[in-house]
Every structure is written in C-alpha cells, then in structure tokens.
C-alpha cells in the first residue's frame, strides 16, 4: 500500500479525563513521492442512540366495515427507526497543506504531533447495544483528484463519579420484604427476606459483601435463592424511550429453606470494569445498576423479590480504604478534579466487561479501506484496594 497512516496516543489505552489535553502523534508512511493537498486530524465527541421497531399498520383505517367484510382489511408491517444524537465537541487541525493547493510528501516516515483540549463537562465513554458515547480521532491524507487515505481511532474519556460526594454511596443497602401464603383454611406465618451490603456505592475492582437472610415462618419451603446485578440502560430517542438490561453478576444459592426454618447466605462479589452510574452530562443515555434477589418458592405461589439500586463510581469511598492515616490533603496540593488522589494507588484501566462496537462511521466516509482498529471497547478505572468496610 503506498500510504500507511497510524494514530498513536501518548497515554496507554488512550485514557484521558474530561478537562485534560489529549496528546499523541500521527505517523504517515509513503513509499514514493506522493502529491497531497493536506494532512489533517479531526477530533470529535458525540453520542448517538438508534434502534428500529416493526409496527403493524392498518392500511385502510377509515373504511366502514360491515359485519361480513373483515377479510378485506389490509395490514402492512413497516419498520420505524427511533434515534437521537448529541455532539459535545469537534475540532479539525491541519498539520500541513490547506483546503486548496498541492504539495509533495517525500518517501519515508512523517510524524505530526497533536494536542486537543477536552471540555470539562464531557460524559464517560460508553458503548452499548443501541448507541454510544464516543470520542474519536480521524486522520486524513487528502489527495487531489484521488480517494483520500484515512485512519480512525477511538480514545477513552473518563468523567469522574466520586463516591465521596454521594450520600447514597455511604449508606448501607438494607432491604426487607415479607409475604404471607394463603392456604385453603388458614393464613400461614410470613416468609421474610432481608438483603444487606455495607455500602450503597462501589468502584470496579472493589468487593461487595452481600448478606441474604431468610426467615421462613410459613408452611411453604423456599427452593433456592437467585440474584443478579444488572446494568439498566435507558435510551432516549426523540420519539420514544427504551430500557434494556444486561446481567453483570449472577448470584446462585441452591440451598432450600424449609418451612419454619431460617438461613443466612453470604457472597463476596467483585465489581467488574463497567462505566459509572448515570453517565452524567449525556441527555440521551442514562445508566443505573440494580441488585435483584429472589427467593424462589415454586408451585402456584409468587416468588419473593427484593430490588435495590447500587451506585457504581469512579473514585472509591475513602473510609473503605486502608492506608496510613498520616496523609493530609491540603488544598494547595489537591490534584485537578477528575485525577485520582495521590494518596491512592493508581488504578489500572481495563476493558469493559461488555464488549464494544465498530467505530467506523459510513456517514463520515469510513469504509473497509479506513485504517485503524475497527472496533472499540471502552476502559474504566479498576482499583486494587484492601477494604475494611467489608
């Protein structure tokens, strides 16, 4: 191939916090003197939501039907697309050349350094089933009278959700539900389930100690306990809203709790790499995490279920971490907002447990000749902390 293009970010995994400057370089390799118009790079931050649904449409809704002409009614199925988009920023830089004119690139390697200041209010990178919040760079070698050469790369933007700023994160999760089963002649005692976790908020890499207590004063046995932590995403198109759920963690306790018996189940869960709750500053995608625990009864009875929200953040609660208490945090040395405190061991940045999407954008001229890695899974901070709160 006569032209090879590469976009390289200075940070490993291209992980930058909102408000920081993205830096890196574009490498252009040509094997012979090549006439070009310009070499550019365009940075873009955007969100998009899109899904399609089929609807059944009555093609003759105004006709008056007699009792015998039902077979004349026509129904057609049409596909409806629901979508919305937001643009957070877009900037284009010319390394060499301009919109008009010509110049010649000498054979060999050419390197162009770039920097792009990120706005402070960007939402987190996110890739999902019906949309994304995506930050990408597209480098183009514009050639007069011929097709351009281009490369695209996505980078991670992290918008911190500091659990220390959230009252919900500090309060333990404590939920209790009871129910009575009606027999033919009598009402049995209650089946009671309580679910407890030491905090309401956690960060990826942290452990959650979950305790489930079953007090079964009824005459019906509990067959087993099932639970999940789900990621619940709300997609807001201009015409409609849709919610989807993905299982992040499964809980299985295959033990029976007989009538008039009690039991406590506990499990330690490690939070995988996932985006923080809420996706602040994005108005078309919202995100929360929901803990659901079900005591399965079987037979004709309805199961007993508890649901509780769990807050997933970017920075951990300081009181849940063991480190020498001599650290003070004078305002003068405080890092800029969004950068982890120097008191904490730095997090690693790991790929989301849910796989990403193709980042190629046909509307922007991308095709199979566009260079770069075509799919992108965002990375999120993962903390390796010894925790006392559990």
């Amino acid at each position: 191939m006569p032209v090879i293009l590469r976009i390289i970010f200075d940070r490993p995994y291209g992980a930058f916090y909102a408000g920081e400057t993205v830096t890196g370089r574009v490498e252009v390799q040509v094997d012979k003197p090549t006439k070009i118009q310009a070499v550019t790079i365009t940075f873009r931050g955007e969100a998009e939501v899109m899904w399609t649904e089929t609807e059944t449409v009555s093609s003759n809704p105004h006709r008056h039907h007699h009792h015998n002409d039902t077979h004349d009614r026509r129904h057609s199925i049409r596909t409806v697309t629901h979508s919305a988009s937001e643009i957070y920023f877009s900037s284009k830089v010319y390394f060499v050349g301009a919109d008009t004119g010509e110049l010649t690139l000498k054979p060999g390697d050419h390197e162009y350094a770039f920097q792009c200041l990120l706005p402070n209010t960007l939402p987190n990178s996110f890739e999902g089933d019906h949309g994304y919040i995506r930050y990408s760079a597209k480098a183009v070698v514009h050639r007069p009278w011929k097709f351009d050469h281009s490369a695209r790369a996505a980078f991670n933007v992290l918008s911190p959700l500091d659990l220390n700023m959230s009252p919900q994160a500090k309060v333990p999760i404590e939920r209790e539900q009871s129910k009575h089963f009606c027999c033919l002649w009598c009402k049995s005692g209650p089946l009671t389930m309580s679910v407890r976790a030491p905090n309401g908020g956690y960060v990826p890499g942290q452990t959650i100690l979950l305790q489930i207590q079953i007090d079964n004063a009824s005459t019906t046995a509990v067959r087993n306990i099932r639970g999940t932590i789900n990621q619940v995403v709300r997609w807001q198109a201009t015409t409609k809203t849709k919610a989807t759920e993905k299982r992040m963690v499964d809980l299985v306790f295959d033990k029976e709790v007989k009538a008039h018996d009690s039991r406590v189940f506990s499990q330690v869960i490690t939070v995988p790499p996932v985006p923080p709750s809420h996706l602040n500053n994005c108005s078309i995608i919202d995100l929360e995490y929901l803990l659901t625990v079900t005591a399965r009864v079987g037979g004709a009875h309805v199961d007993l279920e508890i649901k509780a929200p769990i807050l997933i953040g970017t920075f951990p609660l300081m009181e849940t971490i063991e480190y020498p208490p001599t650290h003070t945090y004078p305002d003068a040395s405080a890092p800029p907002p969004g950068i982890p405190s120097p008191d904490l061991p730095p997090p690693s940045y790991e790929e989301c447990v849910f796989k990403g999407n193709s980042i190629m954008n046909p509307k922007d001229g991308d095709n199979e000749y566009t260079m770069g890695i075509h799919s992108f899974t965002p990375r999120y901070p993962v903390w390796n902390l010894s925790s006392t709160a559990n």
Side-chain angles (χ1 to χ4, degrees):
M1 195 174 189
V3 177
I4 295 173
L5 263 169
R6 262 193 299 273
I7 300 171
I8 297 159
F9 298 104
D10 287 342
R11 290 263 177 94
Y13 312 127
F16 298 90
Y17 285 84
E20 286 194 304
T21 298
V22 177
T23 58
R25 64 190 188 275
V26 173
E27 293 180 350
V28 181
Q29 212 176 330
V30 292
D31 60 358
K32 57 176 188 283
T34 304
K35 278 196 168 57
I36 67 159
Q37 192 175 309
V39 180
T40 64
I41 191 165
T42 304
F43 295 93
R44 195 173 165 90
E46 61 194 327
E48 184 165 295
V49 163
M50 186 191 286
W51 74 91
T52 56
E53 292 178 8
T54 52
E55 292 180 359
T56 304
V57 187
S58 180
S59 58
N60 201 351
H62 304 301
R63 206 168 128 192
H64 295 291
H65 292 288
H66 301 295
H67 64 280
N68 61 349
D69 70 349
T70 51
H71 63 279
D72 284 343
R73 294 180 191 176
R74 302 275 186 270
H75 291 292
S76 61
I77 290 175
R78 65 173 183 184
T79 302
V80 182
T81 300
H82 300 284
S83 65
S85 60
E86 289 182 334
I87 293 183
Y88 304 114
F89 72 93
S90 181
S91 68
K92 185 174 184 177
V93 176
Y94 283 79
F95 294 126
V96 291
D99 279 337
T100 57
E102 251 184 46
L103 55 104
T104 301
L105 277 188
K106 300 197 303 285
D109 295 343
H110 304 263
E111 193 170 290
Y112 307 100
F114 60 74
Q115 49 183 17
C116 172
L117 178 63
L118 297 175
N120 279 314
T121 54
L122 296 178
N124 252 288
S125 294
F126 172 75
E127 297 282 337
D129 292 341
H130 301 299
Y132 54 78
I133 300 168
R134 186 179 297 159
Y135 300 93
S136 63
K138 185 174 186 177
V140 181
V141 174
H142 303 266
R143 301 196 302 164
W145 318 116
K146 293 186 177 176
F147 69 88
D148 297 338
H149 290 290
S150 64
R152 187 180 288 279
F155 55 96
N156 290 279
V157 170
L158 302 161
S159 169
L161 194 153
D162 186 347
L163 294 180
N164 298 285
M165 301 295 168
S166 164
Q168 180 194 338
K170 300 172 188 179
V171 179
I173 293 170
E174 287 173 331
R175 295 284 167 103
E176 186 174 286
Q177 291 274 50
S178 290
K179 71 181 297 178
H180 289 270
F181 302 103
C182 290
C183 309
L184 202 52
W185 307 111
C186 63
K187 190 167 152 186
S188 73
L191 167 64
T192 303
M193 173 167 67
S194 61
V195 173
R196 193 178 181 287
N199 294 96
Y202 298 88
V203 293
Q206 223 174 1
T207 54
I208 305 174
L209 174 63
L210 198 63
Q211 288 190 310
I212 300 160
Q213 182 164 345
I214 304 281
D215 292 312
N216 190 0
S218 78
T219 54
T220 304
V222 172
R223 297 198 311 190
N224 53 34
I225 310 291
R226 289 284 187 276
T228 56
I229 298 177
N230 279 2
Q231 184 192 68
V232 183
V233 184
R234 278 183 189 76
W235 312 91
Q236 182 70 57
T238 49
T239 43
K240 197 171 186 180
T241 302
K242 179 187 184 78
T244 55
E245 291 199 20
K246 277 186 172 174
R247 298 156 86 93
M248 186 172 95
V249 175
D250 278 326
L251 307 163
V252 178
F253 299 104
D254 269 331
K255 297 264 194 331
E256 193 182 37
V257 185
K258 295 186 167 63
H260 309 298
D261 200 0
S262 292
R263 260 209 150 124
V264 176
F265 302 94
S266 63
Q267 187 164 333
V268 174
I269 298 160
T270 302
V271 180
V274 287
S277 301
H278 308 318
L279 295 176
N280 291 331
N281 299 320
C282 175
S283 61
I284 59 175
I285 305 174
D286 194 17
L287 172 59
E288 65 173 339
Y289 295 92
L290 202 58
L291 166 68
T292 304
V293 180
T294 307
R296 290 161 55 152
V297 185
H301 299 299
V302 177
D303 297 337
L304 180 59
E305 186 176 80
I306 287 180
K307 284 182 184 285
I310 285 188
L311 191 68
I312 301 295
T314 322
F315 296 158
L317 280 173
M318 296 308 272
E319 63 253 38
T320 65
I321 297 159
E322 281 176 19
Y323 60 92
T326 52
H327 285 294
T328 54
Y329 205 173
D331 287 342
S333 71
I339 311 301
S341 155
D343 294 347
L344 293 175
S348 56
Y349 294 91
E350 294 176 28
E351 279 198 350
C352 183
V353 67
F354 303 121
K355 284 288 162 262
N357 298 312
S358 164
I359 60 167
M360 294 299 150
N361 185 351
K363 287 186 288 196
D364 196 24
D366 291 346
N367 57 33
E368 70 267 34
Y369 301 112
T370 305
M371 290 170 256
I373 297 166
H374 283 216
S375 64
F376 177 71
T377 298
R379 289 176 179 264
Y380 301 105
V382 173
W383 300 83
N384 179 14
L385 306 167
S386 53
S387 176
T388 50
N390 295 355

